């Protein structure tokens, strides 16, 4: 299986890169980036730096959307800085990137890889859905060929994290997310319904700390920053949103309950960014989204922490 990660490279995105680097089921062929936890330029720099840190210097990185569909620019807000640090990676200093991103734009790369690999391609998005929406808008026929799309986003059966109704990735570009869901492209949605059940604590990452290398120090510091700042859940742990999306893509059995549904997204008012069943399609037999609602968190946390440990030793 060929894998593309579409990231807004903050801390849990960085951990998703490390996890992907340490597993053996899928080949990471490229990273596409967008605004979100950071600006798109910082997402490019962080992605390159993390790839270098975990021994994946050859994986190309593509620059994508710099702002949501409805805006002309983007800067992360204070809540995001609190969770991911001023540089997106918990203020861990990895310096300037040692290489440039590729010239091709992210959406074009996704389209090209969809045409090249078809069913053998899996796309995991853990960022606002702007790059995927742009790719569908440009060439839906190509995107239809992709074997599997797994998206970290949304909150269907639990409250949101950026507002009581909305999860951050969907909220960040609600119009693009609505366009993606209403396009009918099949999507597996790994939202807060499951990611709030997969929390890491100090105990889970003890083996990372013990690895005692430059990479282990950087990755451990990021994880500690994250679980001590994310939503003030200090006592409970940090939600592994983006690494779980990778796990659900390569080990679908980790998901223990799914709800097939045709989704839409609310784009205005206090419910902006809320995912909800599309009234127009309630009686439609074919459902384009599979929303994950339960997960085997122990299996995931063990598999994830062991894979990361391999690439930071
Ligand atoms: C999602 O939002 C971002 O802050 C995280 O990286 C994750 O992709 C969680 O709501
Ligand atoms: Ca993310």
């Amino acid at each position: 299986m060929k894998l593309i990660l579409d990231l807004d490279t903050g801390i849990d995105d960085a951990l998703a890169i490390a996890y992907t680097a340490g597993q053996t089921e899928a080949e990471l062929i490229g990273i596409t980036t967008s605004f979100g936890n950071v600006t798109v330029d910082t997402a490019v720099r962080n992605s390159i730096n993390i790839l270098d840190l975990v021994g994946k210097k050859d994986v190309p990185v593509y620059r994508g959307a710099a702002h949501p569909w409805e805006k002309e620019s983007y800067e992360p807000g204070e809540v995001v800085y609190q969770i991911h640090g001023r540089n997106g990676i918990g203020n861990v200093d990895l310096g300037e990137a040692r290489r440039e991103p590729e010239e091709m734009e992210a959406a074009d790369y996704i389209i090209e890889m969809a045409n090249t690999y078809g069913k053998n391609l899996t796309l995991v998005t853990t960022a606002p859905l702007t790059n995927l929406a742009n790719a569908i808008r440009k060439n839906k026929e190509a995107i239809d060929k992709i074997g599997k799309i797994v998206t970290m986003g949304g909150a269907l059966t639990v409250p949101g994290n950026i507002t009581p109704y909305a999860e951050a990735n969907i909220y960040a570009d609600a119009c693009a997310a609505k366009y993606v869901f209403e396009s009918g492209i099949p999507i597996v949605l790994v939202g807060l319904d499951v990611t709030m059940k997969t929390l890491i604590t100090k105990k889970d990452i003890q083996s990372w700390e013990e690895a005692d290398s430059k990479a282990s120090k950087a990755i451990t510091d990021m994880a500690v920053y994250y679980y001590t700042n994310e939503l003030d859940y200090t006592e409970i742990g940090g939600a592994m949103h983006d690494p779980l999306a990778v796990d659900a893509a390569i080990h679908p059995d980790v998901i223990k309950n799914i709800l097939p549904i045709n989704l839409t997204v609310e784009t205005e008012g206090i419910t902006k960014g809320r995912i909800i069943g599309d009234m127009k399609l309630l009686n439609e037999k074919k459902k384009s989204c599979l929303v994950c609602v339960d997960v085997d968190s122990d299996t995931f946390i063990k598999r994830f922490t062991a894979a990361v440990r391999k690439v930071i030793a």
Side-chain angles (χ1 to χ4, degrees), residues 115 124 133 143 193 209 250 263 269 301-302:
N115 281 326
V124 177
I143 302 308
D193 310 82
E209 215 164 359
I250 57 188
L263 284 177
I301 293 288
K302 283 197 192 101

Side-chain angles (χ1 to χ4, degrees), residues 6-10 12-13 37 84 126-128 152 169 241-242:
D6 183 62
L7 313 173
D8 58 337
T9 317
D12 60 328
D13 303 80
N37 293 324
H84 296 275
T126 70
M152 191 284 130
N169 286 338
H241 308 289
D242 298 351

